[in-house]
Amino acid sequence: MKFAFSEISIPKRGSLAVAIYADKAFSPTAEVVDKKTKGALSRALETSRFTGKQGDFLEIAAPSGLEVSRVVLFGLGDPEKLTTTDMETLGGSLVKRLNTAGARSVTVILDELNAKEFKTNEAAASIAGGAMLGSYRFRKYKTDIDEAAEPTLARMTVSCKGSATARKAFADIEALNEGVFLTRDLVSEPANELYPESFAGRCLELSDMGVHVEILDEAKMQRLGMGALLGVGQGSRRDSRLVIMQWNGATTKKAGKKPLAFVGKGVCFDTGGISLKPGPGMEEMKWDMGGAGTVTGLMKALAGRKAKVNAVGVIGLVENMPDGNAQRPGDIVKSMSGQTIEILNTDAEGRLVLADALWYTQDRFKPEFMIDLATLTGAIIVTLGHENAGLFSNNDALSEQLFAAGKAVGEGVWRLPMSEAYAKQTKSPIADLQNIGTGGRGAGSIVAAEFLQKFVNDTPWAHLDIAGMAWSKADKPITPKGGTGYGVRLLDKFIRDNYEGK
Ligand code: BES
Ligand code: MN
Ligand code: ZN
């Protein structure tokens, strides 16, 4: 789909979308259109349920007095109260309606909104951004495409005052969305196609955009003492990898500053290992690399919009398989930190991968902070469902920044407690740590976070458990079902608001 921006004028072809506010109040352009069509809008409103609240749509076919093939009315409710996410949702919903109707192009007209949260031309860019996010499809393996059901909408023009600014804002949003799309692509790939080596290859492609990419193979990780990560991968025919991606976009003044670090769990497939998972639903474990997918998409977004920060993304890539050489329950491994770990359940593997990835990141980069993302526990889905990621942190300021960014972009996080009482559960009688808690099913997500914290010193750190967020079975306006790309927009906003231009 192509996007364009223009000053306000009634188009001569395609579909025209105009706003109606709460209680059927006409926007200035709706007023003009109603006059030109000798009251077609007023008549249509009389015979429908449309009131002008957010989410209301009404289509009017080829009204006389206009050259366009269709007028779509969209409700905006009280325009002063609109948020950026409302505009994105509008964009996504509009695309869906227009594709159902078979429209090929649309001009969306946005009169001055006087909203508190944004300028109207920024809102225009958000509508296009939402439309772009909602248009994503993962179809590379589909050869039996039904032409009659294909999306028809090929072009969206958003018209507003000061459209040059909208166009500029959209360029950044587009770069961000390309990052989200990379994450969605990676998460959607099946594990026979996306395994540690091929995932690392996808990361290497970011070199063209100026990302510095290093790939550590098993021999290198062995030398670094990464026994925890390597133990998880040892039952797989596919070799493990650690990928380090650096984006150095800070202005020279800040060039020497500590980088922002993002660490991702990249379990390309999680069978559970010898502690094998039940069969039904196991196919979902192809997206157990969601944390690594988000980190990779974020690096692409930062490079794409040339963010003025130094950021490093580190992802631990493994495949957790049962095999003659697989790790056994009861095995004891030594992590890069020197701490030994008794493996009591080979299905609690994400924390083992992160243990070495976190330690490596902290040790090598001495970052400003570390944020890790992982589809770590089923328990977080019991706690928070699919509405928020679990947030665990040793730092209140960092937590608040993440919470605010999540709220602003509609990718929520909710902080859960951590304390010594939970941490105790990770002590093993015969090694330093054990990889599952002693409390049975109680507080599984917190105990997992406590385990991770054993590999963090006093670096500000936050852990996002995204097991409930990386994949969606439901179609939503800006997130079609499948890989969601959760976290890319959240972290981009978090970086933008707190670490750029300072
Ligand atoms: N990858 C899973 C967690 C998961 C479950 C993600 C469902 C997405 C959907 C993780 O490796 C795992 O197996 N965790 C175990 C931990 C347990 C053995 C302590 C779990 O959640 O059951
Ligand atoms: Mn597992
Ligand atoms: Zn897992």
Side-chain angles (χ1 to χ4, degrees), residues 316-338:
L317 302 172
V318 302
E319 187 180 55
N320 189 21
M321 300 292 273
D323 172 82
N325 191 45
Q327 171 158 275
R328 292 149 292 253
D331 282 5
I332 295 178
V333 296
K334 188 166 191 165
S335 67
M336 185 185 172
S337 74

Side-chain angles (χ1 to χ4, degrees), residues 156-313:
M156 175 181 279
T157 303
V158 190
S159 299
C160 63
K161 212 170 147 231
S163 58
T165 305
R167 192 174 299 119
K168 234 176 122 201
F170 182 68
D172 267 16
I173 292 173
E174 202 173 20
L176 170 58
N177 289 354
E178 294 294 348
V180 174
F181 287 1
L182 173 58
T183 305
R184 288 179 181 177
D185 284 348
L186 291 169
V187 163
S188 305
E189 284 287 355
N192 60 326
E193 294 290 336
L194 195 78
Y195 44 90
E197 197 184 344
S198 62
F199 194 142
R202 297 290 292 268
C203 297
L204 205 52
E205 289 172 17
L206 300 183
S207 308
D208 295 343
M209 302 177 75
V211 178
H212 180 248
V213 183
E214 292 163 76
I215 300 170
L216 306 191
D217 62 13
E218 290 195 347
K220 286 209 182 95
M221 288 191 275
Q222 198 84 56
R223 263 178 263 135
L224 287 163
M226 294 189 172
L229 184 153
L230 289 168
V232 177
Q234 84 187 27
S236 172
R237 299 284 289 266
R238 310 285 199 187
D239 275 359
S240 304
R241 293 285 185 272
L242 190 85
V243 180
I244 302 112
M245 295 167 271
Q246 295 183 69
W247 167 251
N248 292 320
T251 50
T252 44
K253 211 172 83 197
K254 304 187 299 180
K257 271 185 74 173
K258 298 169 171 179
L260 318 180
F262 302 91
V263 180
K265 166 179 172 181
V267 177
C268 294
F269 197 81
D270 181 14
T271 63
I274 297 298
S275 312
L276 194 63
K277 284 183 183 295
M282 202 200 276
E283 70 283 355
E284 295 205 355
M285 286 300 107
K286 74 172 185 182
W287 50 262
D288 206 19
M289 35 50 70
T294 299
V295 169
T296 309
L298 176 67
M299 296 309 290
K300 177 165 185 175
L302 294 177
R305 67 172 184 80
K306 300 197 163 31
K308 292 193 175 60
V309 289
N310 291 346
V312 50

Side-chain angles (χ1 to χ4, degrees), residues 83 111 137 218 256 259 283 306 349 425:
T83 63
D111 297 297
R137 298 286 178 277
E218 290 195 347
E283 70 283 355
K306 300 197 163 31
E349 84 298 337
Q425 287 199 37

Side-chain angles (χ1 to χ4, degrees), residues 345-357:
N345 188 323
T346 64
D347 197 11
E349 84 298 337
R351 63 198 76 182
L352 299 168
V353 173
L354 286 174
D356 283 336

Side-chain angles (χ1 to χ4, degrees), residues 22 24 29 75 102 128 175 193 219 285 363 382 473:
K24 304 190 182 183
T29 300
E193 294 290 336
M285 286 300 107
D363 190 55
V382 178
K473 286 182 179 163

Side-chain angles (χ1 to χ4, degrees), residues 243 245 259-264 291 294-296 298-299 302 309-315 357-358 361 367 369-373 398 402 464 487 491-492 494-495 499:
V243 180
M245 295 167 271
L260 318 180
F262 302 91
V263 180
T294 299
V295 169
T296 309
L298 176 67
M299 296 309 290
L302 294 177
V309 289
N310 291 346
V312 50
V314 176
I315 58 177
L358 282 166
T361 305
F369 61 72
M370 286 197 290
I371 297 175
D372 76 73
L373 297 103
L398 186 60
L402 286 166
L464 296 175
L491 294 173
D492 181 80
F494 158 80
I495 291 171
Y499 296 92

Side-chain angles (χ1 to χ4, degrees), residues 40-79:
L41 270 54
S42 304
R43 283 195 300 281
L45 286 188
E46 270 162 35
T47 57
S48 87
R49 286 177 184 274
F50 187 104
T51 66
K53 67 173 188 306
Q54 266 188 67
D56 273 0
F57 287 99
L58 186 62
E59 280 134 42
I60 306 168
S64 65
L66 284 181
E67 288 156 283
V68 299
S69 51
R70 167 191 297 103
V71 173
V72 182
L73 305 182
F74 56 90
L76 282 184
D78 178 353

